[in-house]
Amino acid sequence: MDQNSNPEPKWKGEVKAKVSGPTPDQAWSLLGEFCSLNRWVPSLHTCRKLDGVEDQPGCVRYCAGSVNRADPGQPVGWSKERLVEFDPVGRSYTYEIVETNKGFGSYAATIRIVSVPEGCCVEWSFASDPVKGWTREGFVAYLEKLARGVAKRLEEEIASVAEDKSA
């Protein structure tokens, strides 16, 4: 039987994490820098621009960190990611993975800061081929954990900036 005759459908999902304290604009001023994801995602130790202009479609970043479930023998999981759309007014950007060792085929995601009555929320939506080494449920749970970590780091950074200004 042809292995491609019944491919697993695309994975799609969205995770959200409330950010307590910061306004949407404060949170976006930090998270909206495409090549600074390592400041907000604890498992990333590197995120740097490889090509293009920061925050302009076509910009490519290199991200590396300690998570690589596709090949646990590799100590570092890395990806090259291209910025597809950047919307500072809507406080969002969309990117796609163009090369990786982390088991991804097609993967695109949008990170957005949205206003909620209590402040703001980080939304991370994605569409991807099934990812080697993951179940869909496990991958969504991982993204939920990442989104909560991003929200916590944003809260800490903005609280720190507020303390510095009041000192």
Side-chain angles (χ1 to χ4, degrees):
M1 183 168 126
D2 181 6
Q3 289 181 335
N4 296 324
S5 63
N6 191 15
E8 191 172 346
K10 283 239 187 235
W11 291 354
K12 293 182 181 181
E14 180 179 84
V15 298
K16 298 178 182 184
K18 185 176 173 291
V19 183
S20 298
T23 67
D25 286 338
Q26 287 174 314
W28 175 251
S29 73
L30 299 172
L31 189 60
E33 296 176 28
F34 182 63
C35 295
S36 71
L37 199 58
N38 59 313
R39 290 180 60 195
W40 316 113
V41 176
S43 62
L44 287 180
H45 55 72
T46 300
C47 182
R48 68 178 188 276
K49 182 178 72 124
L50 289 179
D51 193 26
V53 178
E54 174 80 27
D55 300 337
Q56 296 293 314
C59 180
V60 176
R61 68 184 177 192
Y62 171 83
C63 296
S66 57
V67 177
N68 188 354
R69 294 197 50 187
D71 186 357
Q74 290 289 323
V76 173
W78 59 267
S79 59
K80 293 179 184 177
E81 303 170 350
R82 179 178 23 247
L83 184 62
V84 175
E85 184 178 324
F86 187 79
D87 180 4
V89 174
R91 294 185 297 266
S92 70
Y93 66 79
T94 300
Y95 67 97
E96 63 187 359
I97 292 179
V98 294
E99 188 178 345
T100 186
N101 74 341
K102 297 191 294 186
F104 288 87
S106 167
Y107 176 87
T110 299
I111 294 178
R112 175 178 290 115
I113 298 290
V114 296
S115 181
V116 295
E118 306 82 30
C120 63
C121 184
V122 174
E123 289 183 355
W124 196 324
S125 59
F126 72 94
S128 74
D129 291 335
V131 183
K132 181 180 176 186
W134 296 88
T135 63
R136 183 190 179 287
E137 295 75 21
F139 186 66
V140 170
Y142 176 71
L143 288 182
E144 286 172 342
K145 181 180 175 183
L146 285 182
R148 286 192 306 271
V150 168
K152 184 176 188 292
R153 301 270 300 251
L154 290 171
E155 291 168 1
E156 292 168 353
E157 179 72 15
I158 291 172
S160 172
V161 169
E163 281 179 22
D164 289 347
K165 286 183 179 178
S166 68

